[in-house]
């Protein structure tokens, strides 16, 4: 049985986060398939590193997004991310060493975690973000680069978020972009804004 199949029940109605969630499900599914095909531990370990990097990017995006709107349940949400981070760190060496039992346990944990987290915690957060953006007539792309309302920002250290600055091509129009809400640099500001408007129209 496949544990990692993204479907509409996982949607949080913020296009960027939905795309990232889908990517996590796909990366985890790749690992599950590799294990079923008895791929060597080194190959499974490599895929796990890919997944771990995607997870870390995604968590950083969500955490920036929550902080940028002063999300009241940020601490609770962050705790759930930290739990997944700790498990990943714990299981990574076991998976890399070819411990199939540990790998299965990890995938079971991840499947349950993704299901619960996207279905409840991320949906709550996304709903707050959408309401905030609607009532403040703002969007994540405008807020990017402004200091976060965090202790670090208050102390003058001006944290602006974790996004990379690599220039890539927008997948929709091909324009070069440094847009930061797309971890793979997939979409430029204009195309992203169009998709945000589409999200809001759906509400
Ligand atoms: Fe989350």
């Amino acid at each position: 049985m496949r544990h990692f199949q993204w479907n509409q029940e996982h949607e949080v109605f913020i296009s960027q986060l939905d795309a990232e969630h889908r990517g996590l499900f796909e990366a985890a599914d790749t690992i599950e398939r590799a294990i079923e095909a008895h791929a060597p531990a080194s190959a499974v370990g490599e895929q796990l590193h890919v997944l771990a990097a995607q997870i870390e990017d995604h968590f950083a995006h969500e955490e920036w997004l929550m902080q940028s709107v002063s999300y009241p349940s940020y601490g609770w949400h962050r705790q759930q991310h930290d739990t997944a981070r700790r498990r990943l760190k714990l299981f990574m060496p076991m998976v890399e060493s070819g411990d199939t039992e540990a790998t299965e346990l990890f995938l079971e944990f991840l499947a349950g975690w993704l299901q619960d987290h996207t279905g409840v915690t991320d949906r709550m957060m996304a709903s707050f973000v959408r309401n905030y953006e609607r009532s403040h007539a703002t969007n994540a792309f405008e807020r990017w680069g402004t200091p976060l309302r965090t202790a670090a920002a208050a102390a003058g250290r001006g944290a602006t978020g974790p996004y990379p600055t690599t220039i890539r091509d927008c997948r929709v129009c091909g324009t070069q972009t440094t847009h930061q809400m797309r971890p793979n640099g997939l979409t430029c500001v204009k195309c992203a804004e169009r998709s945000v408007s589409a999200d809001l129209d759906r509400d």
Side-chain angles (χ1 to χ4, degrees):
M1 190 192 110
R2 306 238 75 85
H3 285 99
F4 301 100
Q5 294 206 316
W6 192 89
N7 62 53
Q8 288 186 325
E9 282 174 26
H10 302 117
E11 270 188 316
V12 302
F13 307 108
I14 292 180
S15 56
Q16 173 61 23
L17 298 185
D18 284 331
E20 292 180 6
H21 286 151
R22 197 184 299 226
L24 298 183
F25 276 83
E26 285 169 2
D29 185 57
T30 302
I31 296 176
E32 195 169 42
R33 284 173 191 270
I35 290 163
E36 281 173 7
H38 304 290
S42 59
V44 176
E46 242 170 65
Q47 281 156 355
L48 184 60
H49 275 277
V50 171
L51 173 64
Q54 274 181 249
I55 287 177
E56 192 41 59
D57 274 355
H58 171 63
F59 284 178
H61 293 168
E62 282 192 355
E63 286 162 14
W64 173 79
L65 191 59
M66 287 188 277
Q67 287 179 293
S68 76
V69 297
S70 301
Y71 180 50
S73 300
Y74 171 79
W76 172 67
H77 196 128
R78 169 76 196 249
Q79 273 176 7
Q80 294 191 13
H81 286 180
D82 286 344
T83 298
R85 285 180 171 114
R86 280 195 300 274
R87 292 288 178 100
L88 196 55
K89 202 171 162 192
L90 176 73
F91 277 104
M92 188 92 87
M94 294 187 247
V95 175
E96 284 174 322
S97 72
D99 183 337
T100 46
E101 201 180 326
T103 306
E104 275 163 27
L105 275 176
F106 173 69
L107 290 178
E108 244 170 65
F109 158 76
L110 188 63
W113 189 91
L114 274 175
Q115 183 74 28
D116 296 345
H117 187 78
T118 55
V120 178
T121 315
D122 283 343
R123 273 196 172 189
M124 285 171 59
M125 177 266 289
S127 163
F128 183 92
V129 170
R130 289 198 312 275
N131 285 332
Y132 179 97
E133 294 191 339
R134 196 164 23 212
S135 60
H136 291 75
T138 178
N139 62 52
F141 312 113
E142 284 175 357
R143 294 195 302 285
W144 167 250
T146 58
L148 294 175
R149 292 171 211 162
T150 61
R157 295 199 296 277
T160 55
Y163 300 111
T165 54
T166 317
I167 295 175
R168 294 198 178 94
D169 295 334
C170 170
R171 69 175 170 180
V172 180
C173 68
T175 308
Q176 283 208 319
T177 179
T178 55
H179 195 266
Q180 306 300 329
M181 278 301 290
R182 309 281 144 166
N184 302 317
L186 294 177
T187 312
C188 71
V189 175
K190 283 198 171 132
C191 294
E193 275 174 354
R194 275 199 290 275
S195 69
V196 167
S197 310
D199 283 336
L200 294 179
D201 288 341
R202 289 170 66 169
D203 284 357

